[in-house]
Amino acid sequence: MKGVEITLKVLFASILLGYSMAFIAGFCRLSNNIILRSFTGFYVEVFRGTSLIVQLFWLYYALPMLFGWDIGSNFWAGVLAISLNYGAYMSEIVRGSIQSVAKGQYEASTALNMSRFQRMRLIILPQAVRMMLPEFGNYLILMLKSTSLVSLIGMADILYQGDLLKDANLSLAPTVYFLVLVFYFIIALPLIWLTKKMEGMSKKGVAS
Amino acid sequence: MPEVKSESLQETSTNNEDVIVSYKDVKKSFGDVHVLKGINLDIKPAEKVALIGPSGSGKTTIIRMLMTLEEPSAGEIIVDGKNLWHMEKNGKKVPANEKHLREVRGDIGMVFQHFNLFPHMTILENCMTAPIHVQKEDKESARKRSIEMLEKVGLGDKLENYPSQLSGGQKQRVAMARALVMRPKVMLFDEVTSALDPELVGEVLEVIRDLAEEGEMAMILVTHEMDFALDVADRVIFLDEGVIAEEGTPSEVLEHSDNERLQQFLHRFRSSN
């Protein structure tokens, strides 16, 4: 089925872009620069506070009409909407995890005369990432499920293909949607496994 | 070293060039609370100084400012001839930036009350990381020195363990090894036995005593272990309400002082033990 391929493509592109966004925005929110901090704060609240479908429609329909910004394809509109939305949520995890690394860790690395950058790279981030992993896993699965929204902007993903089949023969609807469910679940299985694995990893060598 | 302390102290105290750390009228407030109200203090290379005093008297703040964990509100701290919190810029004295702080604080090491080991690293990695990344030492020699240091504090068999697998006393000994591989000229001890179970205090004090006897490093100990201070220190400083209320050799301060607040403090202290 061609739909699976498209769903996977959207998913992987969103994962890459979404996690990058999460780290960029997460670090910006911790920056000393007040403009950077409040700007990212604004981004996070806007994207967390509005619905993903509406964001998708904005990117795909409204922005090109209003400002002539053409995202290029419905693929990128979909990926961008999902990444920006999940990036906003996950940036809070990044920020929270970094902030919850114990103060003593900052002090000990200062006492060893590390630079700010070394302290972040060698001491703070490795510990913060362990805290982020379980939550990140959950968002991975949520992201997969959100990819089904791209069918609304005309992308032929799993759900879209299912819709086509159903339109061709209405009596097949239960079977078709059952198959769609099964497909999503099969894709989710490795993600669920990964999440469990991440949780295990995050427990190792952290508690002091 | 402790045998000759009283004489050597008087001789060198007049020699101002022979000073590794100097506090000049250092003040610190947190909001409206004036923790330190003007500290003047010179520490000589290899000198062992014990800071004692009631809680809230500012003992810990004194050494935290030297480690650059707390910025003084006023005054200057000179380390090996260099001004720690200020630097020259276009002939003017301005607050130090991170680069300057890193240059000056390189000779200072610190051990904390709560160990602050890096939980995601093995014991060996805890010790090796800073020499490799901060001092740019090559990996093999950093590894070798770290192992030697861990053997010295009696943990040569725990190299691949994680901090969570150690007892408090062992953790604190790792923390000391970690600070020592950086070869500091001044080592700060911030109530290093306060978080330990009583039966683990001894093993940590023993390591400190060994270090003190080796002698090359200046040591500032914030401590509640009076007997230990009496034994190891060349000089004891009693801090009270943000000022140095009494200082001298351990026996002068702990046994022969007639400072009333000090007497009260020592009395309270001994009766609570």
Side-chain angles (χ1 to χ4, degrees):
Chain A
M1 251 229 214
K2 198 136 191 317
V4 176
E5 194 191 323
I6 289 184
T7 296
L8 284 178
K9 272 187 185 162
V10 173
L11 177 63
F12 282 119
S14 308
I15 289 173
L16 282 180
L17 213 62
Y19 284 125
S20 319
M21 202 59 221
F23 275 96
I24 295 169
F27 277 115
C28 285
R29 293 209 73 182
L30 293 168
S31 143
N32 289 330
N33 186 320
I34 207 169
I35 301 169
L36 204 59
R37 214 169 49 220
S38 33
F39 179 76
T40 352
F42 178 71
Y43 150 71
V44 170
E45 294 316 330
V46 166
F47 275 82
R48 288 204 305 178
T50 57
S51 122
L52 177 54
I53 305 180
V54 179
Q55 289 160 20
L56 188 65
F57 287 168
W58 260 90
L59 280 172
Y60 190 59
Y61 297 114
L63 282 186
M65 285 173 75
L66 282 177
F67 307 104
W69 293 344
D70 205 335
I71 308 288
S73 66
N74 49 8
F75 174 77
W76 284 112
V79 168
L80 214 57
I82 296 173
S83 327
L84 287 175
N85 185 279
Y86 282 91
Y89 277 103
M90 294 189 300
S91 74
E92 285 294 286
I93 301 173
V94 172
R95 183 180 65 95
S97 305
I98 290 175
Q99 280 180 333
S100 62
V101 172
K103 198 169 142 250
Q105 297 289 311
Y106 287 85
E107 298 188 343
S109 27
T110 304
L112 292 168
N113 205 13
M114 288 185 194
S115 68
R116 220 178 292 191
F117 181 70
Q118 287 170 334
R119 183 170 68 197
M120 189 49 87
R121 180 170 65 95
L122 300 167
I123 308 301
I124 306 303
L125 211 50
Q127 295 181 54
V129 166
R130 281 171 169 80
M131 290 187 247
M132 295 173 201
L133 286 177
E135 287 266 27
F136 271 10
N138 280 330
Y139 278 99
L140 216 55
I141 298 164
L142 285 177
M143 256 201 243
L144 164 66
K145 294 189 273 187
S146 300
T147 59
S148 64
L149 294 177
V150 297
S151 64
L152 296 173
I153 54 169
M155 284 195 74
D157 75 331
I158 297 176
L159 183 60
Y160 189 86
Q161 300 283 7
D163 280 335
L164 286 186
L165 281 177
K166 175 211 69 179
D167 290 344
N169 188 343
L170 198 59
S171 65
L172 278 179
T175 332
V176 167
Y177 287 124
F178 177 71
L179 280 176
V180 169
L181 273 186
V182 170
F183 272 118
Y184 276 113
F185 190 65
I186 290 173
I187 301 176
L189 274 179
L191 301 182
I192 293 170
W193 174 81
L194 196 67
T195 309
K196 290 244 169 71
K197 189 104 179 142
M198 283 172 162
E199 271 172 35
M201 271 163 66
S202 73
K203 281 196 192 109
K204 232 173 46 192
V206 171
S208 60
Chain B
M1 223 177 205
E3 294 84 20
V4 290
K5 60 200 165 199
S6 49
E7 292 86 354
S8 68
L9 194 79
Q10 258 129 40
E11 273 167 29
T12 44
S13 59
T14 48
N15 183 356
N16 280 332
E17 283 160 22
D18 200 19
V19 167
I20 181 104
V21 172
S22 178
Y23 289 78
K24 297 194 187 303
D25 200 23
V26 173
K27 295 176 181 154
K28 176 70 185 175
S29 347
F30 296 100
D32 289 338
V33 185
H34 303 288
V35 180
L36 295 173
K37 299 168 185 163
I39 297 292
N40 287 291
L41 175 62
D42 285 346
I43 292 163
K44 288 175 279 299
E47 193 184 11
K48 324 296 179 219
V49 177
L51 290 178
I52 61 168
S55 60
S57 60
K59 324 178 280 287
T60 291
T61 307
I62 290 189
I63 62 174
R64 283 174 62 83
M65 289 190 302
L66 183 54
M67 197 64 262
T68 74
L69 301 175
E70 219 88 71
E71 190 173 353
S73 312
E76 288 179 352
I77 302 175
I78 313 292
V79 179
D80 215 359
K82 284 167 282 188
N83 196 321
L84 178 61
W85 282 102
H86 301 90
M87 57 184 203
E88 291 268 327
K89 198 176 173 186
N90 306 326
K92 268 195 290 188
K93 202 162 72 172
V94 296
N97 59 16
E98 203 211 355
K99 185 166 164 277
H100 178 87
L101 289 178
R102 289 192 71 204
E103 274 170 29
V104 183
R105 75 177 175 217
D107 287 335
I108 302 166
M110 182 160 175
V111 185
F112 298 87
Q113 185 178 357
H114 296 288
F115 333 123
N116 299 345
L117 295 181
F118 305 132
H120 60 299
M121 294 180 179
T122 64
I123 301 316
L124 182 57
E125 287 165 346
N126 260 278
C127 295
M128 284 168 62
T129 301
I132 293 171
H133 290 95
V134 177
Q135 297 179 333
K136 312 291 176 204
E137 184 173 349
D138 79 83
K139 214 173 162 178
E140 260 328 293
S141 105
R143 188 186 160 81
K144 200 169 139 269
R145 289 198 310 112
S146 300
I147 295 175
E148 281 169 14
M149 202 55 85
L150 284 165
E151 280 168 352
K152 191 170 149 186
V153 298
L155 291 168
D157 56 336
K158 302 276 185 205
L159 300 178
E160 300 304 322
N161 286 53
Y162 283 87
S164 56
Q165 298 164 315
L166 303 185
S167 74
Q170 291 172 328
K171 284 181 196 169
Q172 197 58 294
R173 285 185 279 149
V174 174
M176 281 191 269
R178 179 177 70 176
L180 287 169
V181 282
M182 298 293 280
R183 300 193 180 102
K185 290 184 188 161
V186 184
M187 183 85 139
L188 313 175
F189 297 84
D190 185 12
E191 301 195 28
V192 291
T193 55
S194 302
L196 297 176
D197 291 336
E199 76 268 23
L200 300 176
V201 169
E203 62 187 70
V204 171
L205 293 185
E206 201 160 315
V207 174
I208 302 178
R209 197 186 310 263
D210 288 346
L211 285 176
E213 275 162 15
E214 280 173 30
E216 309 132 30
M217 214 171 43
M219 290 163 56
I220 308 179
L221 303 115
V222 171
T223 185
H224 289 130
E225 304 281 338
M226 294 305 156
D227 296 334
F228 182 71
L230 187 69
D231 201 23
V232 167
D234 302 321
R235 178 157 52 133
V236 173
I237 291 172
F238 173 63
L239 230 74
D240 189 38
E241 297 187 324
V243 294
I244 295 178
E246 186 77 279
E247 68 177 308
T249 65
S251 73
E252 279 167 15
V253 173
L254 297 178
E255 286 160 3
H256 305 295
S257 165
D258 45 16
N259 181 309
E260 208 171 297
R261 298 272 306 177
L262 174 57
Q263 287 310 324
Q264 279 173 10
F265 169 72
L266 289 175
H267 181 74
R268 246 198 334 267
F269 196 81
R270 281 177 182 139
S271 57
S272 71
N273 264 306

